Amino acid sequence: MMALAEELFPICRSITGDGARRTLEILQRFIPLQVYEVPSGTKVLDWTVPCEWNIRDAYIVRDDGTRVVDFSENNLHIVQYSRPIDVTMRLAELRPHLHSLPDQPDWIPYRTSYYAENWGFCLTQRQLSSLTDGSYRVVIDSDLGPGHLTYGELLIPGETNDTVLFSCHICHPSLANDNLSGIAVATMLARHIQTLRPRHSYRFLFIPGTIGSLTWLARNEDKVGQIVHGLVLSCLGDAGGMTYKQSRRGDASIDRIVAHVLRHDQVPHRVAPFVPYGYDERQYCSPGFNLPVGCLMRTPNGQYPEYHSSADNLSLLRPESLSHSLAVLRHIVEVIEGNHVYRSRNPKGEPQLGRRGLYATMGGQRTATYDQMALLWVLNLADGHHSLFAMAERAGVPFADIRAAADRLLAAELLEPTRSQTDEWA
Amino acid sequence: MMALAEELFPICRSITGDGARRTLEILQRFIPLQVYEVPSGTKVLDWTVPCEWNIRDAYIVRDDGTRVVDFSENNLHIVQYSRPIDVTMRLAELRPHLHSLPDQPDWIPYRTSYYAENWGFCLTQRQLSSLTDGSYRVVIDSDLGPGHLTYGELLIPGETNDTVLFSCHICHPSLANDNLSGIAVATMLARHIQTLRPRHSYRFLFIPGTIGSLTWLARNEDKVGQIVHGLVLSCLGDAGGMTYKQSRRGDASIDRIVAHVLRHDQVPHRVAPFVPYGYDERQYCSPGFNLPVGCLMRTPNGQYPEYHSSADNLSLLRPESLSHSLAVLRHIVEVIEGNHVYRSRNPKGEPQLGRRGLYATMGGQRTATYDQMALLWVLNLADGHHSLFAMAERAGVPFADIRAAADRLLAAELLEPTRSQTDEWA
Amino acid sequence: MMALAEELFPICRSITGDGARRTLEILQRFIPLQVYEVPSGTKVLDWTVPCEWNIRDAYIVRDDGTRVVDFSENNLHIVQYSRPIDVTMRLAELRPHLHSLPDQPDWIPYRTSYYAENWGFCLTQRQLSSLTDGSYRVVIDSDLGPGHLTYGELLIPGETNDTVLFSCHICHPSLANDNLSGIAVATMLARHIQTLRPRHSYRFLFIPGTIGSLTWLARNEDKVGQIVHGLVLSCLGDAGGMTYKQSRRGDASIDRIVAHVLRHDQVPHRVAPFVPYGYDERQYCSPGFNLPVGCLMRTPNGQYPEYHSSADNLSLLRPESLSHSLAVLRHIVEVIEGNHVYRSRNPKGEPQLGRRGLYATMGGQRTATYDQMALLWVLNLADGHHSLFAMAERAGVPFADIRAAADRLLAAELLEPTRSQTDEWA
């Protein structure tokens, strides 16, 4: 995943344009992404797909010919969606178009102006301070005009249309944790799920933030109702512990599943309530959709110092963090795929496990073994109302161990599937 | 409010009699109170309106002619409802009729015997200890006979009959925090509400404790069902933090509203569960009424040392406490009046706030502003099921800020009122 | 109860056999137990009543004639259900049949092999270590063949068939806390209840663990539905505090009752959630029955060092612990018997307690008395929806005090029974 992030890092992405296209092409080497192009001007819910923006070059030249700011050195030097310009102006006139971080003198901030025509440069505070009075030539060689919004989608069909959504944003230029980490982890998660024959269908979206999810929702309102669980993926590569931001519902199955997986994980974690700010969960969880979609991160947006600056670069990513994030997601998928509701075939009293080779024959021990406890929990709760997942929650045992116990009991014909189940996450 | 308390302090009030009448006359200078007179002997629920009691003078004279206890010095010197008497007796005979506070040698206790005919004097422990054997003339110049119970009522009609009840007791003689503070704050709150054109109707009761609320309830059973929120007001002038005693229901809207207002207030506060002891909430919350009526206090009855003694005098009152108590009550009324259920007109995805001037056009900032967050919360929860108040509770934001955000969104035509709302406090 | 435990201690009990019979005969001196004999081979739910086992003698003799292990010294020396044997073998061959506790060199473990034919000896680690190579004669003089399973039952009929179950296991040989303590306390509790004329019926079971409860359940499926509360009793004699293990339901009335009684008890206590391991609550709480049966203990199974070893002997029992355990159970029965739902006959406002002699006539005191508060709680909550028990829970007052207050109010004709009550534990 580090290699993928490294390959994607230099590309100047935005919410539209060739950077997004090149990014999706690279991902297509790993997964069979379908790429969609939506024309500028298309109405999507309350919004309109904006003009396409592409940029070739941008710089500020002092009157002695020195380039004091140069886009070719860092994609962040340009305010995204800056309109083309080639003028010479005094520093005082230029200043309102220059953005820096006074508290972090060596970092370039990330700024955008997608929906209000504008132009500007981002630079370090040190660069800004060194500018002397005088006149500067300002050149932005960009195109801002009708074009397309580009996004990628992968549907991995399962036995049912019940769909699990994974969504990540691809609009950030040369920012690593936010969100090359999410892109890389989502790509490898998709590759993994392709090797399964899943019960659920899995839908991966690689979209520009906000306008991308709005566009997908507008174009796929008929599929929205199929989404039974979902996660927005971002900031999955830094050294911090895990953060799960709940769905707006707060008690959706995905909220319980992620909390369960993180509770049994070694890495410290935090479960945070939904707030209507952050990533595309804002759109998925808008009141008209209210989808069961949370957001999985390590250190959340806005809570690490390098966030939205040139310091959020490849050096912030830890290969072991990316791997661990992927492992957590695979566990989440294991729960989603492995959950079932079974009924004990011997609900009255415990069945005699000893004669089936499932229980120690020598009695009197101080305690039951861990494995025996898992068997007893499954049998005790297999009343047709508790899913395996609910058993794992009540027993305080990782889902995988409950699933393994259920498999042993199924093999011994002590369990049977329930016919009609209203809610398998009961 | 201090001036009002000072004017009321010298009056010898009781559950009936001229002290109550004079008190209500003074209040009528501020608010158009209706005064009711209910004859002695009237059956009110399980009780009977008692005889009217008035007292002119009372004293104990030592055989050397010295007045050792003198009602004219302090209204508390007489046990309320003492019958007239003029006898001479030995100290031993007198002693059972003398009440003091051994732990507080300089304070006179407050004692009553409304419903069992009796007489007695209250005096300081120091006075009691100084009494020498000998004979004493005991004079109580009181009237105890058929008359009336007097109470005041103010109805401020609103758009609907849904009524908010504020109730305070007016029966305590020369006690300041309990309850001249409640009387003064209620009076000024009523004046304030008269300047509004409220949605709800507001009913203020100035009544003698217990028998007054019983009398009002018995005479107004047809209006009881209109009460949707209510507060008993007492002990609102001392230096302590706020105490809210919940209604018997514990989860009534008023319980949530007061807790919310206090949570966002600077002054420390405590929310205490209902107990069937205290002030007139005992009657309003009796099982046959079970009204949503709590009790707002600073330091509660029985929990400050000066309670029910001559030390609960004007020096215990702080003007800033009275003002703050009134401010809290005005906030409570703001919530009650300002709460509504709205529905987003763009429930699918977020509406584009930027093009309506409601969102920063320059993106990439670390966090949203406080005002933006309030807008986002309202939009996210405007599903027709969350009232503005429920939004404020969930967002952890003062109601006023949610109300202001809703007003901005209404102005932008992004919200609309819901037509049918089962419960506006949902 | 100590005397009873001392008399029962030497008997070699098992899940079948004469030890159980002798035990029940002794109990019959105290309570009119009905004794049942169920033939080996009887199908009980998923299980089969096993062969009956009786043992006369067992020992291991070194080739010099010394008995190195001798059953006559301690009943625990033999693995329960050891088949008869008389062979001579080398130590290496014998060793797999020898069980000891390496961490407790002087204690003999307790081991069983009820359902897999086997034989073995339990001995101290010190004994085991002292065995030298050589040949040993191994003698077990036991019978293992068709016979009966024996259990005792006592039904104390009440006004209704609503039944309270007390169940204890009688299968442990020479182990004191587990479970002569449970047997002794259950016996004395039954004697006590026989002196009452209870509303509920009470059923006491003295049964072998697991197979005994399965047998009773299989033979009494028609009576299972009558059980409204139940407790398994074990480990009630040690010096520890009380432990209540909840029923599988976790919110059954018995769970609330025991928690309430323990909360108002002086002895420290712990309420533990249900787990599907322990005593016969495993069977009563299997999903097909899911009875409201918890387990009352002092220090639970497996949590005191002497558990299931020769150190769980009479010296572990404290007479005061046995008495206290019985007292707790009597309080539980008092709650079960004393709970009712009443309705106030004066639900609107408080009734005037003073004129009925139930309230102080001299008013103005700082607080209400404890007894007055209990009266006020009962009156306030006597709405026909709160049982006396629910009142005690809400008021935070011991049930007995609420019951006493209700009796005073009944005498004053201020309460009346409710006619139709859906759930008296509401």
Side-chain angles (χ1 to χ4, degrees), chain A residues 65-81:
Chain A
T66 319
R67 290 200 172 188
V68 295
V69 182
D70 190 347
F71 168 72
S72 69
E73 288 176 358
N74 194 311
N75 287 323
L76 297 181
H77 273 315
I78 194 75
V79 170
Q80 293 239 322
Y81 265 66

Side-chain angles (χ1 to χ4, degrees), chain C residues 3-4 7-8 22-33 187 191:
Chain C
L4 177 55
E7 182 173 0
L8 294 172
R22 240 171 309 153
T23 299
L24 296 174
E25 277 166 27
I26 292 168
L27 299 186
Q28 282 175 320
R29 297 207 317 263
F30 298 90
I31 49 174
L33 271 187
T187 302
R191 262 166 85 102

Side-chain angles (χ1 to χ4, degrees), chain A residues 45-47 79 99 110-113 115-116 118 214 221 248 274-277 282-283 285-289 302-305 307-308, chain B residues 344 346-353 355-356 359 361-368 372-373 376-377 379-383 386 394 414:
Chain A
L45 304 170
D46 187 54
W47 301 56
V79 170
H99 306 274
Y110 163 59
R111 291 289 178 270
T112 69
S113 186
Y115 302 104
N118 204 339
L214 291 164
E221 281 206 44
R248 178 183 185 270
F274 177 79
V275 294
Y277 188 74
R282 289 163 65 165
Q283 312 309 326
C285 296
S286 58
F289 294 117
Q303 297 187 21
Y304 56 99
Y307 173 77
H308 276 193
Chain B
S344 171
N346 297 72
K348 296 187 173 182
E350 293 175 3
Q352 194 176 9
L353 295 177
R355 66 175 157 93
R356 295 173 173 96
Y359 214 73
T361 58
M362 179 65 62
Q365 316 297 332
R366 178 169 286 272
T367 55
Q372 279 175 13
M373 281 308 298
L376 292 175
W377 271 117
L379 286 170
N380 186 266
L381 296 177
D383 53 10
H386 288 80
R394 177 155 178 187
L414 287 168

Side-chain angles (χ1 to χ4, degrees), chain A residues 377-389:
Chain A
W377 271 116
V378 173
L379 285 170
N380 186 266
L381 296 177
D383 53 10
H385 301 297
H386 288 80
S387 67
L388 293 185
F389 178 68

Side-chain angles (χ1 to χ4, degrees), chain A residues 101-113:
Chain A
L101 295 169
D103 293 345
Q104 294 287 359
D106 293 316
W107 296 357
I108 309 163
Y110 163 59
R111 291 289 178 270
T112 69
S113 186

